[in-house]
Amino acid sequence: MPTTVILGAGIIGLSTAHSLVQLAPPDHRIHLVEPAPQLFSSASGKAAGFLAKDWFAPAIAPLGTLSFDLHRALADRHNGRARWGYSESISYSLDRLREDDYSPARTDGAPSEVAVSGRNGSQGQGGLDWLLSGASRATTAESDVVEKSSESAHLEEANDVPRWLRARPDALQVISDKKSTAQVHPGQLCEFLLEQCLAAGVTLHHPARATKVLKGENSSDSVTRIHVEYLGLLAQTVGGRTRTVDIPCDNVVITAGCWTPQVYAALFPNASRIPRITHLAGYSVTFKSKHWSPIIRTSADPQAPKALNGATPDTGASSVPVFPESSPSHAIFTDAGGFAPEIFSRAVGDVWLGGLNPPGTPLPELPTDAEVDPAEVTRLLAVARALCGEDIELRRQALCFRPVSATGRPIIARMHEADLGDGVKPGGHDGAGGVYVATGHGPWGIALSLGTGRVVSEMVLGRATSADVSALARW
C-alpha cells in the first residue's frame, strides 16, 4: 500500500496530511514526524493568522486565491468561527505612528485618539521586499484592490470600525474589505487539522526525528524506508535501548519550515544542492482589551473553540469567547519608526501585535529553544499601549521564525532525482522520484497553508494541481 511520510507537523505539514486524507485512496498510509517537544511552537502556533486573497505577486497569486477559498470553505463546513476563530476582516492603513502623536488615555476609560492618516508606502507586487526592509505588509495590496475597498468603505456599518484602536475613523484608510481578507487563530486551526487527521488514521510520531533513508540489507527487500528516532521521554525503551522505527515510504514531503535544509541534508547527504532557506525572526505580543470584548459562550456548547493544547481559554474555566457572526475582525498596518507594526483583533477575543523582525536573531536547534529578548517585547508593548490604551492586559509574548527562500517566494516542488545525490531515494507514484519540499512561505504561511497542502497532495498522487504553482518549483 502507498505510504507518505511528512516531516514537519506545522500548519503546512498538517494541511498536506489533511488534504491527502481527503484525496488519497483509503489504503494510502500517512505519517507525520515532528521533533519539537511542543507542537505548533513556532509560527504555526504564534503567528497572527491573517488571511488575504489578492495580496500576492503573480507567481503566488493562483495559490493565494485557492488557499483563501479553501480557508473559507473549511470554516463554513466545520463552524470555523467557533472552532478556530475564523472571521472576515477589514484591513486599514495608518501612515505614521510618531511619538509626538501619542495622547494620554481618556479619563472615561475609552482609548484616546492618535492623529494619523494616509497609507504607508507605495503599492508593491506582493514579494518580500517590504518585509526585509522593515516596511508595511500593506504595500503588497494592489492599487485596484485599495481603490475598490475604498469605494465600499462608506457602505460599512458603524460597528465595523475598530473601536479598540486609538485613532479617529477618518484617520484610517481601508485597503481591503471583508471579501478579500480574513482572520484565524492559527494554533486552534492546527489543533483542528491534527484532530481531523488523527481521526482519519494518520500516525503522528512526536517528538521524533527522521535521520536517514534506507533499504533492506538483502536483495529481496526493495522497500524504501525512513529511519525515525524518538526524542525526549520517548527516546528509550523500558530496557534502555534507543527507540526507533523504520517507516516504509513511497513519498517524503519535507515541510520543516526554517529547518528544511537541515532535514534535507540529513536524509540526502550526497545531494548536489540543498534548498536555500533562511530564517526571519518575529516578535509578537497578544493582549486583551476591554474595548474588544467577545460574547461569552459556555463550554457546554459542542462548537465551543478550544485553546492551544486543549487548555481552557483565558476567559475562565467554564466559558469561551466568541463574537457574533456580524462582527468582523480588523487588521491595522502602520509605522512606528524603525519597524512596521501589524495589529489584528481576533474573534477569539484577543488582539495580536507584531511586525518586529530583528535580523540578527539566531535560529535555535528547535523552536522550543527560542529565547525571548525582553527589550523587544518592551518595544511592542509601547506601541500596543499607544494604539490601544494603557489598560491592556498582556496575555502572551512570543518569538517565532518564518522560512524565507532566496527568491522570496515559497518553494513547492518535486525534487529531481539528480539533485538528491546517489543515495537511497523513494520512488514516488510513478517511480520517478518521491521527494517533495514545501517551505519558504515567509509571513504568509497561515494564509497559503491550505492551498499548499492541496497542491502538494495532488503532486504526491500524480494529479493535476488545483492552482498553477509551476513558478514555485524553481529554486
Side-chain angles (χ1 to χ4, degrees):
M1 62 186 66
T3 302
T4 296
V5 179
I6 301 170
L7 304 180
I11 197 164
I12 302 298
L14 284 171
S15 296
T16 302
H18 186 261
S19 186
L20 270 175
V21 165
Q22 296 176 312
L23 300 180
D27 65 343
H28 195 116
R29 297 290 181 88
I30 305 166
H31 295 258
L32 280 163
V33 181
E34 172 58 50
Q38 180 183 350
L39 292 173
F40 325 134
S41 52
S42 195
S44 295
K46 298 177 180 178
F50 178 66
L51 312 178
K53 184 173 185 176
D54 44 19
W55 288 33
F56 302 101
I60 312 172
L63 181 64
T65 299
L66 170 66
S67 199
F68 189 84
D69 292 343
L70 289 174
H71 273 287
R72 175 171 288 170
L74 187 70
D76 288 344
R77 190 162 62 249
H78 295 284
N79 194 8
R81 187 172 184 91
R83 303 192 71 175
W84 58 87
Y86 178 90
S87 172
E88 294 176 330
S89 179
I90 303 174
S91 301
Y92 301 88
S93 180
L94 299 177
D95 185 48
R96 290 292 301 274
L97 177 61
R98 298 183 297 269
E99 186 174 355
D100 56 6
D101 286 330
Y102 298 173
S103 56
R106 299 203 311 230
T107 56
D108 61 3
S112 302
E113 296 174 348
V114 176
V116 288
S117 62
R119 295 185 56 255
N120 179 28
S122 58
Q123 296 302 321
Q125 293 299 312
L128 293 186
D129 289 348
W130 62 272
L131 181 65
L132 301 178
S133 64
S136 168
R137 188 195 304 249
T139 62
T140 66
E142 297 290 352
S143 58
D144 60 336
V145 174
V146 176
E147 290 169 3
K148 288 186 290 185
S149 298
S150 298
E151 291 171 2
S152 64
H154 300 293
L155 302 179
E156 301 292 349
E157 298 293 336
N159 63 1
D160 286 351
V161 177
R163 299 181 181 278
W164 50 269
L165 186 70
R166 296 176 66 194
R168 297 190 305 268
D170 62 359
L172 294 166
Q173 180 170 358
V174 177
I175 56 176
S176 282
D177 59 22
K178 292 185 288 188
K179 297 179 181 178
S180 59
T181 52
Q183 184 70 46
V184 298
H185 188 298
Q188 291 180 0
L189 175 56
C190 285
E191 292 278 6
F192 170 79
L193 293 173
L194 179 59
E195 176 186 308
Q196 292 277 300
C197 289
L198 295 179
V202 174
T203 302
L204 174 65
H205 305 268
H206 171 250
R209 175 183 285 118
T211 60
K212 58 185 174 182
V213 185
L214 48 83
K215 280 191 176 181
E217 297 181 355
N218 57 71
S219 58
S220 62
D221 186 359
S222 60
V223 177
T224 302
R225 294 178 172 86
I226 292 287
H227 184 73
V228 172
E229 297 180 356
Y230 289 91
L231 306 171
L233 296 177
L234 300 178
Q236 292 186 333
T237 65
V238 175
R241 299 177 59 185
T242 301
R243 187 176 177 218
T244 65
V245 61
D246 294 336
I247 306 172
C249 71
D250 303 276
N251 309 284
V252 174
V253 182
I254 303 177
T255 58
C258 300
W259 294 268
T260 292
Q262 293 90 318
V263 174
Y264 191 95
L267 297 182
F268 309 106
N270 299 321
S272 58
R273 61 184 186 135
I274 295 174
R276 291 182 294 167
I277 295 294
T278 58
H279 66 277
L280 187 70
Y283 279 88
S284 65
V285 293
T286 304
F287 56 89
K288 303 286 285 188
S289 168
K290 64 182 181 182
H291 308 291
W292 178 246
S293 300
I295 292 174
I296 302 301
R297 178 178 294 174
T298 65
S299 58
D301 190 324
Q303 297 297 335
K306 297 178 180 179
L308 277 174
N309 301 323
T312 303
D314 293 328
T315 51
S318 61
S319 60
V320 292
V322 180
F323 277 84
E325 291 294 330
S326 60
S327 298
S329 296
H330 309 96
I332 310 296
F333 302 94
T334 188
D335 177 13
F339 77 106
E342 302 182 340
I343 310 99
F344 305 94
S345 61
R346 306 195 292 194
V348 295
D350 60 20
V351 180
W352 185 101
L353 187 150
L356 185 57
N357 310 307
T361 307
L363 182 70
E365 182 178 353
L366 293 170
T368 46
D369 297 332
E371 296 183 1
V372 174
D373 183 347
E376 305 289 10
V377 174
T378 298
R379 290 182 68 189
L380 288 176
L381 287 176
V383 175
R385 294 187 175 106
L387 286 174
C388 302
E390 294 290 337
D391 57 351
I392 62 171
E393 180 184 344
L394 178 64
R395 291 299 177 92
R396 186 178 192 181
Q397 57 189 37
L399 169 62
C400 67
F401 299 87
R402 285 74 52 84
V404 179
S405 73
T407 64
R409 300 190 297 265
I411 298 173
I412 302 176
R414 184 184 189 183
M415 300 291 104
H416 195 283
E417 284 201 303
D419 290 330
L420 300 173
D422 57 4
V424 179
K425 302 175 280 288
H429 65 89
D430 56 2
V435 178
Y436 304 82
V437 169
T439 187
H441 295 76
W444 294 110
I446 309 301
L448 298 175
S449 58
L450 297 187
T452 298
R454 175 63 60 87
V455 299
V456 171
S457 63
E458 290 166 338
M459 290 177 179
V460 167
L461 298 173
R463 302 184 185 182
T465 58
S466 297
D468 180 8
V469 292
S470 55
L472 309 183
R474 297 192 290 270
W475 57 279

